[in-house]
Amino acid sequence: SAGGSDWRQKVDVSVLSNAETGPTQFFVYLDRQADLTGAYTRTAKAAKSRYVYEQLTSVARESQGSVVDALEQAGATHQSFWITNAIVAEGGLDAVEAVANLPEVEHVYGVGTGRLEPPVPVDVPGGTTSTNLTTAVFDGIAKVNADDAWALGYRGQGAVVAGADTGVRWTHEALKSRYRGWDGTTASHDYNWHDAIHNPDPTNVCGASSTTPCDDDTLIGGGHGTHTVGTMVGAGPPRAGQKNEIGMAPDAKWMACRNMSHGLGVVPTYLECMQWFIAPTKVDGTGADPSKAPDVVNNSWGCVEGCPPPALQDTLRASRAAGIFYAVSAGNDGVGGPGPAAGCSTIYHPLARYPEAFTVGSTTWTTDTISSFSSRGPVLLGDPPSQVLLRKPNITAPGSSIRSALRGSDDRYGNLSGTS
């Protein structure tokens, strides 16, 4: 080849070994990345989003052509991204060599897998339902004084929050009226829902590329994505013995993207949702509109294996430049080794490790102490000699035995524990 054996220096060892035996998935990361600093001179969020979208898409359009050509000549399938300038492909060693030989390709990574931070056994028994109906406020909400903010008139009105998770049961009584796609009479899922899971799985209740919001979590927490959206905005009707005002910002609207199947994802599905949030589309994928981007994204997954680190940080930087705030689960890996530092430095996985993420740990609302499972900081980021020590998590709040909506039916609720 033109580059001799030098091209192998640009390829992850795992990709090389997998490609020796047949087609494998790989992540082609280009050296040219968009300059988004101009976004910070714009004050309106819609203007930031539009600027970021135009910069990112033009850089991808201008620089990916030769990579796409090389992949197609090698018979490799591929999916282009613009939120980071990268292409995910599947092909053999000849395809890997063809792209690694191109000067504009910085590195070829493995695709990498991630998983939901699964709910964990609770620290404290019950206490999340009560027969005392003098207040409709659930204990965790009172603990952070959200009800005081409500009394001042701040209930999340005007804000749009997004769930990047297992999907959402949008018809749940605590969520339906807060769904941005519901006008009180009819539903429109355009710009409000995207399904990044495209491979048919006969055991998955949502199928593939679902055109309506759906939560596929039948195993991990009985509706993890529904539960987290409920924690953001949920408010169900009061019933004897139940506190159904479960959401921190009950007057905000929500939208969602499913990026996991049965709680497991891969980097391409995560990137697809993050990209879609910057410029949501109609259900059929057309009509990208950055003005429909959410204000906040709640992110519960961690990339646990073979992650392309610069690409994941690019996506966060792009999102923040577009005016999107990322609230990210710290992880549930806190119960750790012996000694006084037990559980420290247990925020292992992106995105929670990055300075651009607002990383959230868990406390118990009964005792207001850190939950045993909650991952703790600090985080050591980067390579020597330029390593930095980050104080993480950025905030902690009640995460043990939290009552919220579940996917089982339109009036199902339950308690889950975790940093999500």
Side-chain angles (χ1 to χ4, degrees), residues 8-347:
R8 291 178 178 268
Q9 306 297 316
K10 287 160 69 170
V11 185
D12 276 3
V13 174
S14 64
V15 174
L16 287 173
S17 61
N18 290 339
E20 302 277 2
T21 58
T24 187
Q25 273 203 313
F26 53 94
F27 190 95
V28 185
Y29 185 74
L30 282 77
D31 60 2
R32 185 177 166 198
Q33 297 293 328
D35 178 4
L36 303 178
T37 50
Y40 292 96
T41 65
R42 288 153 172 80
T43 49
K45 178 168 175 294
K48 289 178 188 286
S49 296
R50 168 64 57 187
Y51 177 84
V52 167
Y53 173 67
E54 288 173 351
Q55 292 294 112
L56 290 171
T57 51
S58 67
V59 164
R61 198 166 48 241
E62 290 161 16
S63 58
Q64 290 183 3
S66 54
V67 180
V68 170
D69 289 346
L71 290 168
E72 289 183 346
Q73 282 173 13
T77 58
H78 54 87
Q79 177 184 5
S80 287
F81 289 94
W82 48 257
I83 188 170
T84 177
N85 193 9
I87 298 172
V88 173
E90 185 169 345
L93 194 60
D94 55 337
V96 174
E97 180 178 358
V99 294
N101 264 314
L102 295 170
E104 57 267 50
V105 170
E106 183 174 303
H107 201 81
V108 179
Y109 293 97
V111 159
T113 57
R115 60 169 160 76
L116 190 62
E117 290 296 348
V120 293
V122 298
D123 281 357
V124 291
T128 50
T129 58
S130 167
T131 51
N132 176 7
L133 287 180
T134 55
T135 171
V137 178
F138 163 63
D139 311 71
I141 288 173
K143 178 64 74 179
V144 299
N145 299 98
D147 51 329
D148 293 342
W150 298 350
L152 295 171
Y154 300 103
R155 293 173 52 88
Q157 62 272 32
V160 178
V161 299
D165 212 294
T166 63
V168 187
R169 185 183 181 102
W170 79 272
T171 54
H172 196 286
E173 63 178 18
L175 304 181
K176 186 174 182 177
S177 65
R178 276 85 181 153
Y179 177 44
R180 191 172 70 175
W182 176 251
D183 66 3
T185 313
T186 54
S188 170
H189 304 306
D190 290 344
Y191 301 107
N192 300 310
W193 165 255
H194 180 71
D195 189 0
I197 304 300
H198 306 301
N199 297 329
D201 175 351
T203 68
N204 194 304
V205 293
C206 292
S209 306
S210 175
T211 56
T212 57
C214 173
D215 186 343
D216 80 8
D217 172 26
T218 54
L219 305 170
I220 295 171
H224 189 278
T226 302
H227 198 276
T228 51
V229 170
T231 300
M232 291 189 269
V233 301
R239 294 197 181 89
Q242 293 186 6
K243 293 179 178 181
N244 294 334
E245 182 120 87
I246 50 178
M248 283 283 162
D251 289 354
K253 296 290 189 184
W254 67 268
M255 59 193 289
C257 185
R258 179 169 75 123
N259 61 13
M260 287 175 276
S261 178
H262 300 306
L264 294 173
V266 289
V267 170
T269 63
Y270 299 140
L271 294 191
E272 187 173 319
C273 282
M274 294 179 84
Q275 180 169 287
W276 182 82
F277 285 136
I278 287 181
T281 63
K282 296 179 181 177
V283 171
D284 66 7
T286 64
D289 185 351
S291 74
K292 303 279 202 303
D295 299 295
V296 181
V297 175
N298 184 68
N299 195 92
S300 298
W301 55 269
C303 190
V304 295
E305 188 184 352
C307 307
L312 288 171
Q313 196 163 9
D314 289 344
T315 59
L316 259 186
R317 287 175 174 154
S319 303
R320 292 301 295 265
I324 300 170
F325 185 87
Y326 262 78
V328 176
S329 163
N332 302 332
D333 301 307
V335 181
C344 290
S345 294
T346 48
I347 299 176

Side-chain angles (χ1 to χ4, degrees), residues 368-416:
D368 210 22
T369 54
I370 191 162
S371 305
S372 63
F373 57 78
S374 184
S375 290
R376 297 156 172 78
V379 166
L380 194 61
L381 200 65
D383 299 309
S386 55
Q387 281 180 312
V388 291
L389 197 65
L390 299 182
R391 180 183 291 177
K392 291 278 183 178
N394 300 83
I395 198 170
T396 54
S400 291
S401 287
I402 299 301
R403 176 178 168 81
S404 187
L406 292 176
R407 69 166 296 283
S409 68
D410 286 341
D411 59 0
R412 176 74 58 87
Y413 300 83
N415 300 344
L416 296 178

